[in-house]
C-alpha cells in the first residue's frame, strides 16, 4: 500500500482492470476497533453470569455487500464475538454482532480476526446458608 504506483504495477504485473479490483477490495477491507468492559469485574462469583460489553466500530463508511466475486450470492459482513478459555479449550460464549459504523471474528474477510486477552477473578460463590445481611 505504501509503494509508488509504478513500482506496484511493475511488481504485480496486473492489468488496469485487475488493479482497479485490487484497489477497490483494499479500500473496503475493514479496519475495526474493538473495546470491551467486564461489568462488576470485582464482584464476580462462581456460577453467576458475567456481563461483557463489547463495542465494535468501523471507521470507514461502507455500504453494500462484501467484495466476494466467487461467492454464489451477495454477502453482508458478519461479525462474531467469541469468548473462550484457552486453558480448558472451552467455548464460553459466542454471539453474532451487527457492526455499527463509527456511531472477533469476521465471517466475510479472511485475516481480519482480532484476539484480545482478558482475565476475570472469580470468587467462591456464597454458601446457601449465608445471606448478604450477615
Amino acid at each position: 500500500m505504501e509503494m509508488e504506483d509504478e513500482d506496484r504495477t511493475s511488481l504485480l504485473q496486473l492489468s488496469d482492470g485487475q488493479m482497479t479490483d485490487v484497489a477497490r477490495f483494499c479500500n473496503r477491507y475493514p479496519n475495526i476497533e474493538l473495546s470491551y468492559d467486564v461489568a462488576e469485574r470485582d464482584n464476580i462469583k462462581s456460577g453467576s453470569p458475567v456481563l461483557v460489553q463489547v463495542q465494535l466500530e468501523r471507521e470507514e463508511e461502507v455500504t453494500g455487500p462484501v467484495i466476494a466475486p466467487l461467492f454464489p450470492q451477495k454477502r453482508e459482513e458478519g461479525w462474531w464475538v467469541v469468548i473462550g478459555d484457552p486453558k480448558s479449550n472451552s467455548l464460553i460464549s459466542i454471539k453474532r454482532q451487527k457492526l455499527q459504523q463509527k456511531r472477533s471474528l469476521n465471517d466475510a474477510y479472511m485475516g481480519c480476526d482480532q484476539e484480545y486477552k482478558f482475565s476475570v477473578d472469580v470468587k467462591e460463590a456464597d454458601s446457601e446458608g449465608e445471606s448478604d445481611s450477615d
Side-chain angles (χ1 to χ4, degrees), residues 1-2 12 18 25-26 28 71 79 100 117 120 129:
M1 299 299 289
E2 300 289 327
L12 297 177
Q18 290 172 319
F25 177 84
C26 289
R28 288 282 306 266
F71 202 75
W79 297 89
Q100 299 298 315
K117 294 184 180 186
V120 177

Side-chain angles (χ1 to χ4, degrees), residues 57-116:
E57 292 181 6
R58 180 178 181 150
E59 293 183 8
E60 304 84 17
E61 291 186 26
V62 176
T63 57
V66 299
I67 298 170
L70 301 179
F71 202 75
Q73 67 250 3
K74 288 184 178 181
R75 178 155 178 94
E76 297 298 323
E77 288 182 5
W79 297 89
W80 296 83
V81 175
V82 179
I83 299 175
D85 181 356
K87 288 182 182 174
S88 64
N89 197 30
S90 60
L91 177 67
I92 296 171
S93 176
I94 184 169
K95 182 171 179 157
R96 188 160 198 242
Q97 297 288 114
K98 289 283 186 184
L99 187 71
Q100 299 298 315
Q101 292 174 332
K102 204 68 169 174
R103 15 185 171 154
S104 283
L105 202 56
N106 178 273
D107 67 359
Y109 292 100
M110 288 181 61
C112 84
D113 302 336
Q114 297 180 22
E115 182 176 324
Y116 295 82

Side-chain angles (χ1 to χ4, degrees), residues 36-45 48-54 83 92-93 95 118 120:
Y36 65 89
D37 183 47
V38 179
E40 299 186 36
R41 179 183 289 268
D42 297 330
N43 195 25
I44 297 172
K45 296 196 168 107
S48 64
V50 176
L51 176 63
V52 180
Q53 298 169 327
V54 177
I83 299 175
I92 296 171
S93 176
K95 182 171 179 157
F118 68 93
V120 177

